[in-house]
Amino acid sequence: AQSVTQLGSHVSVSEGALVLLRCNYSSSVPPYLFWYVQYPNQGLQLLLKYTSAATLVKGINGFEAEFKKSETSFHLTKPSAHMSDAAEYFCAVSDQGGKLIFGQGTELSVKP
Amino acid sequence: ETGVTQTPRHLVMGMTNKKSLKCEQHLGHNAMYWYKQSAKKPLELMFVYNFKEQTENNSVPSRFSPECPNSSHLFLHLHTLQPEDSALYLCASSQKSLGGPSTDTQYFGPGTRLTVL
């Protein structure tokens, strides 16, 4: 069975600081991995996805994530946080049949 | 309208009421999904429809009844709900490729915030 663990339900950074949101997965087959962002009172928006091509994936809004098979990780990073990045972030793994398994989410706060 | 829309955005209902949530996708996709998002819990997949056929029911109680009349519309009929059913209900759609692994991206609507009194 597949599963996703996001380390830290809440992360707080200062504006301009590095953003690092951690995601570890468990999968018995080569996984497809996704990061979604949810702003208040909105649905989920895709940030980026990994589908077995390049291990470093670039997404929207300056975010990127690196797939590390040896560590079963897919951490999300952004070099410099902006106030508008404050939101909840979800990591998800797909079983290649299209079914997504989500982590519990990480709320990102950005301090001025 | 663009993307995935959901109505109503907010709904308050009593335990004896019957109501329906509506989802419409304007993306030409062939698969639609219902998710439940409760506070402090991961998103829970409830139902999946591929080409209007239900392909997944994730052990959802019968008080939730989905309907997919065509590939663009998805409903969730609610009756005799419990207070613990209060949550954000999200609809999503995707374009599934026929055969082989699916890397389809799911596009989400804004959700319906449901409160059961």
Side-chain angles (χ1 to χ4, degrees), chain A residues 32 34 36 38 41-46 49 51 88 90 94 96-100 102-105 107, chain B residues 9 33 35 37 41-43 45 56 58 88 90 96 100-111:
Chain A
Y32 296 146
F34 302 78
Y36 281 86
Q38 185 178 31
N41 301 313
Q42 295 188 29
L44 278 68
Q45 179 184 3
L46 180 72
K49 68 179 182 181
T51 56
E88 188 150 20
F90 294 92
S94 169
Q96 299 189 19
K99 181 178 175 180
L100 286 177
F102 284 89
Q104 63 269 47
E107 185 178 355
Chain B
R9 293 294 308 277
Y33 312 77
Y35 288 88
Q37 186 178 27
K41 292 176 67 176
L43 273 76
L45 178 64
E56 182 131 4
N58 206 21
L88 181 67
L90 291 165
K96 283 195 169 296
S102 174
T103 63
D104 55 304
T105 297
Q106 294 184 24
Y107 293 83
F108 285 79

Side-chain angles (χ1 to χ4, degrees), chain A residues 46-99:
Chain A
L46 180 72
L47 276 177
L48 49 82
K49 68 179 182 181
Y50 167 76
T51 56
S52 74
T55 55
L56 182 63
V57 182
K58 294 187 182 298
I60 62 171
N61 302 337
F63 285 93
E64 62 182 35
E66 186 172 9
F67 172 69
K68 292 187 176 180
K69 184 178 179 180
S70 61
E71 299 178 7
T72 60
S73 69
F74 190 57
H75 302 330
L76 181 71
T77 61
K78 182 174 180 177
S80 177
H82 192 273
M83 296 296 291
S84 61
D85 295 327
E88 188 150 20
Y89 292 80
F90 294 92
C91 183
V93 62
S94 169
D95 62 359
Q96 299 189 19
K99 181 178 175 180

Side-chain angles (χ1 to χ4, degrees), chain B residues 65-87:
Chain B
S65 175
E67 178 189 2
C68 188
N70 55 62
S71 58
S72 298
H73 293 86
L74 185 64
F75 295 90
L76 189 62
H77 304 299
L78 316 170
H79 63 98
T80 58
L81 294 191
Q82 304 298 312
E84 60 264 29
D85 296 323
S86 299

